[in-house]
């Protein structure tokens, strides 16, 4: 049942060190020490044009976050995500912290993960003693007690309609990390089915991954359990203030959606021109195939551009969006000589 | 065995809502709507003169924190706390997050908490199904499998020498939240006994409680387990950069220790003059007794000063340190009419 055998951490090893993630330039910098600086990091699906930093109060840093501040953040998240009942929303220091926590709340269960996808789901369910399998089709999750779906999927961007999602007997986890810029009806947040938890990331769309902020939307009982697991002051003062301001800002979000649509198209054109086949993606990244993908990684690395490759799929590369005209030109130039 | 019966959360209630904490002005503001602004919050043991904010890189906000940044923070913590092996240090988004996590790592056990003390320890061990009792003397913890000691104690400031600490069969938890400004030999961090975990808070001494940063120092096996529970990117980018700069700054810490010594003495003099008996404290707070403590809370509240009272000990008040000459004068004036 172990569909991704070399992902399982060896006993005594730190599991998170075994999972490949984008967003760390140190290894690629060491591999291409002569590459021009600054590096362009296209290895994540994080918006390269962040939400402009609001003025923070001194108290955001100095005082313990208050329940009133957390309620204000939750109210902003409820409006943004279309959640009718704010009591069903739990704020956490990053979606990863929620992914770590959910598997602790259920007795050992049969867990089906629609994948391959973001690897931390598998690592975290296994760590808590669950029996985990990776399935490639939602129908194969029919007998699972817990199902995990990243929707839209990462890295392929495959989007399942609400009625295509599996209905496991205990819990459906829908990780909507990359759904923000799609049509609101694509999300389950507005009309949560029973036995379902939806995860929403803040840092990707708003380009503030260092802030650590994410949300779960769950039934009252599970939401209470999650809050109990995190305890008081789980989210930092800066995250409470910045998150609230950003989630309330309709104008920034719609301008961002427009810019990313144009930029995604420009990215696709550059890749197609360079001989890639576009396999999918979201407004924040493009998954593309090239028969010589490893050589492409070399070519990009020598020019200071980092993209995401995949052990399991050596012909795939995932490209995040370049954040400026210059970055687009540096990317295009890689393929023009 | 339940020495603090009304601390146990009712079933279905959010436990953390039942615990009284300092640091939230909303209730006291509502109770004294005519009090002068700004309020002076003496209800916590947080340094009122925070570490001056260093320049943050844009990447602290926008990028996922990197392993290299976390290693740099851990190295600074190892120097500051005198820990010989950085691999025994785990960084977390606040000590509270560690207090929430430790009880998950042991099978149901007999837990003795030296108390009454910071109430979240009891709440968190109970939530994970352990059998918890509060003991008033370290000797009473002799038969426990897990013992929890806040050292120095909060609110009384009682400090146990390393050889006075209990030696439970499974794990000794020593919460050193208020030890930073005492002699280094008071801490277990430099020579960790077996089956022991030490918790160190960042936000109190450095006056940055909103940042959410704390550390556990534990044997390799427990440290690895804790890291696995938190997963990647547990600490925010701003906390990594600010924490590293602050923990490396010897000059600021020694100037702060000197200032707090003088200020603590001035606080004690004001309270003694006002008829309080000093029961104890640390460099960051003073615990004092007054036969009419509730009337004193009224008197202070009408003048916009918030202090910490205790349901279980109605004659006790805990005073944090005023952060300026003005704040000292406003406090003194409360008792002079």
């Amino acid at each position: 049942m172990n569909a991704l055998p070399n992902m399982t951490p060896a006993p005594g090893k730190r599991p998170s060190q075994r999972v490949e993630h984008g967003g760390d330039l140190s290894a690629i910098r060491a591999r291409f020490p002569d590459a021009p600086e600054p590096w362009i990091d296209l290895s994540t699906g994080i918006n390269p044009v962040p939400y402009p930093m609001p003025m923070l109060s001194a108290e955001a840093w100095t005082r313990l976050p208050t329940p009133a501040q957390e309620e204000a953040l939750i109210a902003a998240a409820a409006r943004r995500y279309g959640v009718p009942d704010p009591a069903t929303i739990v704020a956490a220091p990053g979606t990863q912290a929620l992914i770590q926590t959910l598997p602790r709340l259920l007795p050992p269960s049969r867990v089906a993960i629609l994948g391959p996808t973001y690897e931390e789901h598998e690592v975290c369910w296994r760590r808590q003693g669950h029996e985990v399998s990776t399935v490639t089709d939602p129908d194969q999750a029919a007998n699972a007690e817990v199902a995990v779906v990243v929707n839209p999927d990462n890295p392929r961007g495959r989007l399942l309609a609400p009625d295509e999602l599996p209905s496991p007997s205990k819990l459906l986890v829908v990780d909507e990390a990359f759904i923000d810029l799609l049509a609101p009806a694509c999300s389950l947040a507005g009309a949560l089915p029973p036995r379902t938890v939806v995860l929403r990331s803040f840092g990707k769309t708003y380009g503030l991954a260092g802030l650590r902020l994410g949300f779960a939307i769950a039934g009252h009982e599970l939401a209470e359990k999650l809050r109990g697991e995190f305890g008081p002051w789980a989210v930092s003062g800066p995250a409470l203030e910045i998150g609230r301001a950003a989630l309330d800002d309709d104008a920034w979000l719609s301008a961002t959606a427009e810019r990313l649509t144009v930029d995604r198209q420009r990215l696709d054109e550059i890749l197609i021109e360079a001989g890639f086949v576009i396999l999918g993606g979201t407004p924040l990244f493009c998954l593309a195939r090239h028969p010589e993908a490893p050589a492409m990684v070399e070519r990009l690395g020598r020019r200071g551009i980092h993209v995401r490759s995949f052990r399991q799929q050596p012909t795939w590369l995932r490209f995040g969006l370049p954040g400026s005209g210059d970055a687009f030109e540096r990317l295009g130039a890689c393929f023009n000589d």
Side-chain angles (χ1 to χ4, degrees), chain A residues 251-272:
Chain A
W252 184 87
L253 193 65
S254 64
T256 293
E258 194 184 324
R259 178 182 57 76
L260 287 169
T261 305
V262 173
D263 285 357
R264 174 67 209 278
Q265 200 168 331
R266 185 169 174 189
L267 173 62
D268 288 13
E269 284 165 10
I270 290 171
L271 296 177
I272 291 166

Side-chain angles (χ1 to χ4, degrees), chain A residues 210-293:
Chain A
L211 188 61
R212 311 314 297 137
L213 180 61
F215 300 92
I217 303 154
H220 286 99
E221 193 185 345
L222 181 57
E224 281 299 303
K225 274 194 197 174
L226 278 168
R227 278 188 208 103
E229 291 294 310
F230 283 101
W233 319 302
V235 174
S236 71
L240 290 171
E241 289 194 3
I242 295 167
R244 180 190 180 181
L247 291 166
D248 269 341
D249 192 336
D250 294 340
W252 184 87
L253 193 65
S254 64
T256 293
E258 194 184 324
R259 178 182 57 76
L260 287 169
T261 305
V262 173
D263 285 357
R264 174 67 209 278
Q265 200 168 331
R266 185 169 174 189
L267 173 62
D268 288 13
E269 284 165 10
I270 290 171
L271 296 177
I272 291 166
E273 178 81 11
F276 285 87
V277 173
I278 307 299
L279 298 179
T282 71
L284 287 169
F285 61 78
C286 172
L287 183 72
R289 192 180 61 209
H290 194 287
E292 286 161 31

Side-chain angles (χ1 to χ4, degrees), chain A residues 56-76:
Chain A
L56 292 179
S57 71
E59 290 74 21
W61 301 100
T62 59
R63 293 180 59 81
L64 285 166
T66 65
Q69 288 175 297
E70 190 172 326
E71 279 160 31
L73 173 73
I74 295 285

Side-chain angles (χ1 to χ4, degrees), chain A residues 62-149:
Chain A
T62 59
R63 293 180 59 81
L64 285 166
T66 65
Q69 288 175 297
E70 190 172 326
E71 279 160 31
L73 173 73
I74 295 285
R79 276 192 301 276
R80 166 62 49 222
Y81 301 141
V83 175
D85 180 359
T88 61
I89 305 183
V90 181
T95 307
Q96 179 65 33
L98 291 159
I99 293 172
Q100 301 275 145
T101 302
L102 283 170
R104 291 176 194 135
L105 303 183
L106 280 84
S109 303
R110 291 190 313 281
V111 179
I113 296 177
L114 191 63
T117 189
Y118 181 62
E119 297 182 14
E120 290 285 348
H121 286 289
E122 168 156 354
V123 169
C124 291
W125 285 95
R126 274 195 203 284
R127 181 186 296 110
Q128 303 298 334
H130 301 277
E131 184 194 325
V132 181
S133 59
T134 299
V135 301
T136 53
D137 193 284
D139 295 340
Q140 295 170 302
N143 291 325
E145 295 165 294
V146 175
V148 180
V149 180

Side-chain angles (χ1 to χ4, degrees), chain A residues 24-33 35 39 297 301 305-307:
Chain A
D24 185 4
L25 289 170
S26 58
I28 193 91
R29 260 206 184 98
R31 196 169 144 205
F32 299 100
W39 275 78
V297 170
I305 297 180
H306 183 34
V307 299

